[in-house]
Amino acid sequence: MSNAEIADDRKFRSLWGDVWVQFRSHKGAMLGMIVFGLILFGVTLGPYIWTTDPQYLDIRAKNTSTILNCFLTGEQIFQCFSDPTSIKYYDPNAEELVRVKLSWAYPLGTDQLGRDQLAQLLQGGRVSMAVGMAAMLLSLVLGTVAGVIAGYFRRLDGPLMRLTDLFLALPLLPLLLVIIMLFRDTLRGMFGPETGIFLLIVFVIGITSWMQTARIVRGDVLALKEREFILAAHSIGTPAKRVISRHILPNILSPIMVSATLGIAAAIITESALSFLGLGFPSDFPTWGRLLFDGTTYISQSPSRVIWPGLAISLTVLSVNFIGDGLRDALDPRIRGR
Amino acid sequence: MKLKHLIAGMLGAAMLSTTAMAQEERGRDGNVNVIYWQAASILNPYLSGGTKDIDASSMVIEPLARYDENGNMVPVLAAEIPTAGNGGVSEDLTSITWKLKEGVTWSDGTAFTAADVVFTAEYCMNPDGGCQQLSKFGDVESVEAVDDLTVKITFSVPKPFPYGPFVGSTTPVIQAAQFAECTGEAAPTCTEQNFGPIGTGPFVVTEFRANDAISLEANSNFREAGKPAFATLTFKGGGDAASAARSVLETGEFDYAWNLQIAPEILADMEAKGIGTVVSGFGPLVERLMVNQTDPDPALGDGRSTVANPHPFLSDLNVRKALSLAIDRPLLVEIGYGKAGNVTCNVLPSPAIYNSPNNAGCEVQDIAGANALLDEAGWVRGADGVREKDGVRLSILYQTSTNAVRQDFQALIKQWWAEIGVETELKNIDAAVFFGGDQSSPDTFQKFFADIEMYANTFDGTDPEAYMGNWACSEIPSPDNAWLGGNMPRFCDPAYDALLAEMAGTADINERARLAIAMNDMLMQNYIMIPLVHRGNVSARANTLEGVKLNVWDSQLWNVADWSRAN
């Protein structure tokens, strides 16, 4: 028997193949990926399927409730789902029959100006997801580069970490105010109001949220640097670039993944805070954060206005966290295979 | 027989007086809680322009006269209102003589005299003092004490309306003895005085925590017997309008909440709980669009939004008129203000004699009419539905402060303008920045680096002369005057300035009304400003709190001495 025949019996296994096998066994991660996929599908293709204009004001239909309220109508439930406009219910406060505003044209209801909540949710998700992902990527790259360099090259450690401290000590909001005030008009002129603000917000969130990643990465690199396999790599003359890319980066992938998942959540929330202060997108441009903020005033009248965007943000963040968790387990060779 | 009558009479009188005493005793109703969601930071209105500070201080220090809830002047520390009729105002309109009430004392027991009034005027007119109410003392030449109870104010020019100084809560009288060391540059450094002024008003400060809460107690030397009904008053600041409304209408923690600009449906829901009542009053506050007559293009650099560069399309009257026609004002009122708003076609809707009858008709939205007007004027729809002429697109940047109601208005108006082929980009700016007047910020309402901006404007007191003066040529903000001035639309018409000059020399109230209406009409018919909503001031009171009369002409706490607890 030749060696070739023996090899034929075995299945070829790559690193990423192993990772995938391990990842699939993590139920939470798989669930997270499905949910995340659904949300991603919804916000990218959703607006082509549900074509109502999210910015159109149908003022006659303002404050329509979500169609799910039909479940509360008791015996009328079937009539409600078939002809929602005919439903009346007894209001104990007003002591009379009140017509509930329900309509299949607005399955998730409308806001106080008659904008379709479903369309806004889908359109808002696009922006929020794009901002979240892009800002996360930017801060991840910045944080990892700074962390690895600081941890690996002793001479650069001091200056880079002091820079990190400097950024951490900067009061975030005044800094954002200044940056946006200085560059908003220029970018608006170059890319138009929406793209210009998008770039600005991604940039602003990216450069103000990389510090935690840098700290964590540096700590891990410092610990790794003294390990035997790195020493071995050094002793056979591996250049620093290769040591970093070949030995260090794969081993610090898990903390990077975790901070990436947290970063998406933080970016979505920072974007909404900026919009709320009037520094973000124009006020009629829906994002999840803005929908949530706008809805809070009406929380006692129509809770669904905060539930849907809140749920969307939570589900996204949660699913990304689970994916990160699964990836970390899958990437860790000590856990893999157990 | 006689004796019997006498005894019975005495007994009766004694009983009457004891019952009267029981009802009229000072401090009988315990504590009252007032919430202003903007906290007071100082109790000296001469060092602060903020309504919250002026209102808070109005409980402690008082002016000579103030406005009541109907906008009429009522004497406070003065014995009567001086007029030309009773000889208080000189015939040439250059001086006014105030007679003070006898027997008024400060809360520390010392006598209130004309010297205090003279001192207050000197305090504010001190060029180093940074007095915020200096405009009230405009053209004042001298303030002198004729005797202990008479003050004569002389003006350098004839003043048809001489009730600027010491009328209304913005210019109360402060105690000369207390503030003697606090004039000029020392004014802001006198923390103790500024945080706890000695006053003649119904309450005395016991504790002042800046930007948080003020504790006050009844002034035992207050001139009116039996007032105030409350022994103590807590003036709490902080939070936002919605939580302030909730604390009065839903939880009952507070008895009075100020300035509740929140969506009417939410307010109505809260009121339905039955703990408190929403009160509203209409002053001259009008939410309006300012139409920029100059070009805000960033490419112009320093010439941006200055009169050197006329606006490319808003200088066309037809465009401005079409923008106004496309607006459905009754709907705006319904969405944004409910009971606290009225449709108006004037920027000067109140007091009633100044309200012009000549601009009715703006209540009706007329999209078709607006479209026809633009078609006629040669503005043709392009491929994307936006009108253009000679390469100029009707594309508007529309800015306002960050506020839920204002953003709703923006969204609605954007849609209506889209229907007449006008493209709109919305921008909202944090109120602190927008109204902040910071020279270095490009986002202030004075710089107006946008095509349209929206906010509400009003004036103190009841005389509109200073308010109408906002739109004189000389009031145009520009880099040369550090962007100060009230003429945001950069409107300039010699005919308007002539009317203004005529008003400054006219004392007759009806003639003044005619002139004010003419000026209002000129602004309205040229669509320099597009009025949207005549806004009321909305506050809330607990149902157990009696005596609240919402005053839009003066401090909302103007009659706090008359407040009492219902049994």
Side-chain angles (χ1 to χ4, degrees):
Chain A
M1 257 196 253
S2 69
N3 283 341
E5 278 166 20
I6 296 170
D8 274 347
D9 286 350
R10 288 183 296 185
K11 233 174 155 186
F12 177 73
R13 291 169 67 183
S14 73
L15 170 70
W16 292 105
D18 278 1
V19 168
W20 174 238
V21 170
Q22 175 66 27
F23 185 81
R24 265 200 323 205
S25 69
H26 192 301
K27 287 200 184 73
M30 283 311 286
L31 192 68
M33 200 146 96
I34 293 169
V35 171
F36 190 71
L38 280 177
I39 294 175
L40 210 58
F41 174 80
V43 300
T44 46
L45 301 179
Y48 296 108
I49 301 164
W50 186 259
T51 50
T52 310
D53 179 359
Q55 296 189 16
Y56 181 74
L57 313 178
D58 184 359
I59 201 76
R60 273 182 304 274
K62 68 171 178 151
N63 293 328
T64 303
S65 306
T66 151
I67 199 84
L68 296 182
N69 280 354
C70 278
F71 286 115
L72 306 175
T73 50
E75 300 150 17
Q76 298 176 323
I77 181 162
F78 293 110
Q79 189 201 342
C80 177
F81 275 114
S82 59
D83 183 12
T85 48
S86 66
I87 291 299
K88 287 184 177 166
Y89 88 113
Y90 181 73
D91 181 355
N93 284 330
E95 296 187 351
E96 59 182 38
L97 281 174
V98 190
R99 198 175 75 79
V100 202
K101 269 190 170 176
L102 294 171
S103 160
W104 274 114
Y106 303 109
L108 294 189
T110 59
D111 67 5
Q112 78 280 10
L113 297 177
R115 284 179 288 217
D116 181 21
Q117 289 295 287
L118 179 58
Q120 287 209 305
L121 205 62
L122 295 175
Q123 185 65 40
R126 271 188 178 188
V127 184
S128 288
M129 291 281 257
V131 167
M133 305 264 246
M136 177 270 286
L137 276 179
L138 184 62
S139 80
L140 207 62
V141 169
L142 283 176
T144 310
V145 168
V148 167
I149 293 178
Y152 195 81
F153 302 104
R154 185 182 291 263
R155 205 179 302 161
L156 291 173
D157 188 16
L160 269 177
M161 280 301 111
R162 295 300 80 73
L163 183 76
T164 312
D165 289 344
L166 179 83
F167 267 90
L168 276 172
L170 278 179
L172 192 61
L173 214 55
L175 180 76
L176 295 179
L177 285 169
V178 172
I179 294 180
I180 289 179
M181 195 191 81
L182 288 179
F183 300 111
R184 168 145 78 180
D185 275 359
T186 334
L187 282 169
R188 218 188 103 229
M190 281 161 69
F191 302 102
E194 271 128 42
T195 324
I197 296 282
F198 178 82
L199 291 176
L200 191 62
I201 285 186
V202 164
F203 173 75
V204 159
I205 296 178
I207 64 151
T208 51
S209 57
W210 56 270
M211 295 82 73
Q212 276 79 6
T213 317
R215 282 255 173 106
I216 295 167
V217 166
R218 170 182 170 270
D220 273 24
V221 171
L222 279 180
L224 270 176
K225 207 167 66 164
E226 305 303 325
R227 298 278 288 274
E228 294 80 0
F229 66 97
I230 304 281
L231 202 64
H234 277 307
S235 60
I236 58 168
T238 319
K241 206 173 79 181
R242 296 229 71 191
V243 174
I244 290 173
S245 63
R246 194 78 202 151
H247 298 292
I248 294 196
L249 272 185
N251 279 300
I252 55 166
L253 216 51
S254 44
I256 295 180
M257 285 296 169
V258 174
S259 54
T261 53
L262 294 175
I264 293 188
I268 291 179
I269 288 162
T270 312
E271 181 278 315
S272 55
L274 283 177
S275 296
F276 183 66
L277 285 174
L279 298 168
F281 294 99
S283 61
D284 60 337
F285 192 69
T287 69
W288 282 343
R290 173 163 287 283
L291 291 179
L292 193 59
F293 271 124
D294 287 352
T296 47
T297 4
Y298 295 87
I299 193 162
S300 52
Q301 277 80 11
S302 53
S304 72
R305 283 193 56 188
V306 284
I307 290 175
W308 292 116
L311 204 64
I313 296 179
S314 317
L315 277 181
T316 312
V317 171
L318 208 62
S319 63
V320 176
N321 269 332
F322 268 113
I323 296 173
D325 197 34
L327 265 182
R328 196 202 55 195
D329 288 359
L331 286 167
D332 191 335
R334 278 163 299 180
I335 296 179
R336 200 186 307 147
R338 269 196 281 161
Chain B
M1 196 61 185
K2 262 187 174 173
L3 191 70
K4 205 177 160 188
H5 272 277
L6 197 66
I7 291 170
M10 276 169 70
L11 273 175
M15 277 173 72
L16 264 176
S17 67
T18 48
T19 47
M21 284 286 281
Q23 273 175 2
E24 292 293 317
E25 196 188 344
R26 175 173 293 155
R28 61 190 177 274
D29 283 339
N31 183 51
V32 62
N33 288 313
V34 175
I35 183 162
Y36 267 49
W37 52 270
Q38 292 175 11
S41 48
I42 194 168
L43 284 179
N44 182 351
Y46 294 110
L47 298 180
S48 167
T51 309
K52 57 196 172 99
D53 301 325
I54 294 167
D55 282 16
S57 65
S58 73
M59 296 184 288
V60 180
I61 40 183
E62 299 173 306
L64 298 181
R66 63 160 77 100
Y67 297 97
D68 69 7
E69 77 273 21
N70 300 317
N72 302 316
M73 251 181 281
V74 288
V76 182
L77 295 174
E80 60 173 358
I81 302 291
T83 59
N86 64 21
V89 177
S90 68
E91 266 181 34
D92 61 357
L93 305 174
T94 55
S95 75
I96 179 168
T97 307
W98 292 90
K99 292 269 181 207
L100 308 184
K101 258 184 200 153
E102 281 179 51
V104 176
T105 59
W106 294 98
S107 60
D108 63 0
T110 56
F112 163 78
T113 66
D116 293 306
V117 183
V118 174
F119 171 80
T120 305
E122 282 165 3
Y123 175 85
C124 184
M125 292 194 292
N126 189 316
D128 301 326
C131 178
Q132 290 286 317
Q133 310 298 344
L134 200 57
S135 62
K136 293 268 174 189
F137 290 86
D139 300 323
V140 172
E141 198 171 78
S142 69
V143 179
E144 50 199 327
V146 177
D147 57 49
D148 264 5
L149 292 176
T150 313
V151 179
K152 185 179 177 196
I153 303 173
T154 312
F155 299 96
S156 55
V157 292
K159 277 269 168 185
F161 189 84
Y163 307 106
F166 305 115
V167 180
S169 305
T170 49
T171 50
V173 183
I174 53 178
Q175 195 192 31
Q178 191 193 15
F179 281 86
E181 303 295 314
C182 298
T183 53
E185 283 172 0
T189 60
C190 289
T191 316
E192 193 191 322
Q193 285 84 345
N194 293 334
F195 284 1
I198 294 171
T200 54
F203 285 96
V204 181
V205 182
T206 51
E207 192 194 359
F208 183 88
R209 278 181 282 156
N211 293 322
D212 182 14
I214 312 171
S215 305
L216 303 107
E217 62 179 18
N219 175 1
S220 52
N221 290 315
F222 190 56
R223 60 186 176 278
E224 288 179 55
K227 289 179 183 178
F230 290 102
T232 55
L233 185 148
T234 308
F235 183 95
K236 176 88 181 108
D240 56 57
S243 53
R246 197 160 277 129
S247 68
V248 171
L249 298 172
E250 281 193 346
T251 65
E253 294 160 88
F254 285 88
D255 298 301
Y256 187 80
W258 159 88
N259 192 9
L260 307 175
Q261 199 196 342
I262 47 181
E265 54 210 74
I266 296 175
L267 209 53
D269 266 24
M270 289 184 187
E271 196 180 10
K273 296 277 190 303
I275 298 178
T277 311
V278 174
V279 285
S280 56
F282 287 90
L285 185 65
V286 174
E287 186 87 14
R288 81 282 300 276
L289 301 177
M290 297 285 190
V291 184
N292 199 344
Q293 299 300 300
T294 60
D295 194 348
D297 187 351
L300 293 170
D302 285 346
R304 203 177 174 192
S305 282
T306 60
V307 280
N309 303 295
H311 198 281
F313 56 88
L314 288 177
S315 45
D316 180 347
L317 176 66
N318 292 315
V319 175
R320 302 198 297 266
K321 189 174 177 185
L323 293 179
S324 175
L325 282 176
I327 294 170
D328 186 351
R329 290 173 176 82
L331 187 64
L332 289 180
V333 171
E334 186 198 320
I335 295 277
Y337 296 95
K339 278 189 289 183
N342 284 327
V343 172
T344 181
C345 301
N346 296 313
V347 282
L348 182 59
S350 177
I353 54 161
Y354 298 112
N355 188 21
S356 165
N358 307 327
N359 303 311
C362 80
E363 294 90 350
V364 189
Q365 185 189 28
D366 186 5
I367 297 272
N371 270 318
L373 194 66
L374 289 173
D375 285 338
E376 225 169 273
W379 295 94
V380 192
R381 277 180 196 267
D384 56 353
V386 179
R387 289 175 188 273
E388 52 184 51
K389 180 163 108 176
D390 307 329
V392 178
R393 272 163 65 85
L394 292 185
S395 176
I396 286 175
L397 177 63
Y398 172 12
Q399 70 179 16
T400 187
S401 69
T402 303
N403 172 301
V405 174
R406 291 211 164 113
Q407 265 75 76
D408 286 356
F409 275 27
Q410 281 187 310
L412 284 164
I413 289 173
K414 177 178 176 171
Q415 176 149 324
W416 293 325
W417 284 350
E419 288 175 35
I420 61 167
V422 176
E423 177 186 63
T424 314
E425 181 196 331
L426 305 184
K427 179 176 172 185
N428 55 313
I429 301 157
D430 187 60
V433 176
F434 188 58
F435 298 115
D438 180 6
Q439 297 294 326
S440 58
S441 170
D443 288 334
T444 62
F445 73 129
Q446 287 108 336
K447 286 198 179 168
F448 199 176
F449 290 164
D451 303 297
I452 302 270
E453 65 182 0
M454 174 171 72
Y455 60 91
N457 202 352
T458 185
F459 57 93
D460 289 338
T462 54
D463 183 65
E465 186 184 329
Y467 174 70
M468 297 314 280
N470 273 330
W471 298 287
C473 297
S474 56
E475 282 286 316
I476 295 176
S478 73
D480 303 331
N481 61 8
W483 301 100
L484 295 172
N487 192 348
M488 304 315 162
R490 284 95 164 114
F491 165 74
C492 185
D493 188 339
Y496 187 90
D497 286 16
L499 285 173
L500 208 57
E502 196 183 341
M503 191 171 185
T506 309
D508 179 55
I509 185 88
N510 293 317
E511 193 60 12
R512 288 173 73 79
R514 182 189 67 79
L515 290 164
I517 287 173
M519 282 188 272
N520 172 74
D521 290 351
M522 192 180 273
L523 293 169
M524 294 302 95
Q525 283 153 19
N526 283 309
Y527 299 92
I528 299 302
M529 282 179 279
I530 301 175
L532 302 174
V533 179
H534 181 194
R535 273 172 56 184
N537 288 3
V538 186
S539 294
R541 67 169 177 91
N543 284 339
T544 59
L545 186 65
E546 284 184 337
V548 172
K549 286 181 187 161
L550 186 66
N551 191 337
V552 294
W553 310 104
D554 209 323
S555 160
Q556 289 201 3
L557 303 174
W558 69 292
N559 71 337
V560 70
D562 301 330
W563 289 9
S564 64
R565 184 74 69 191
N567 294 320

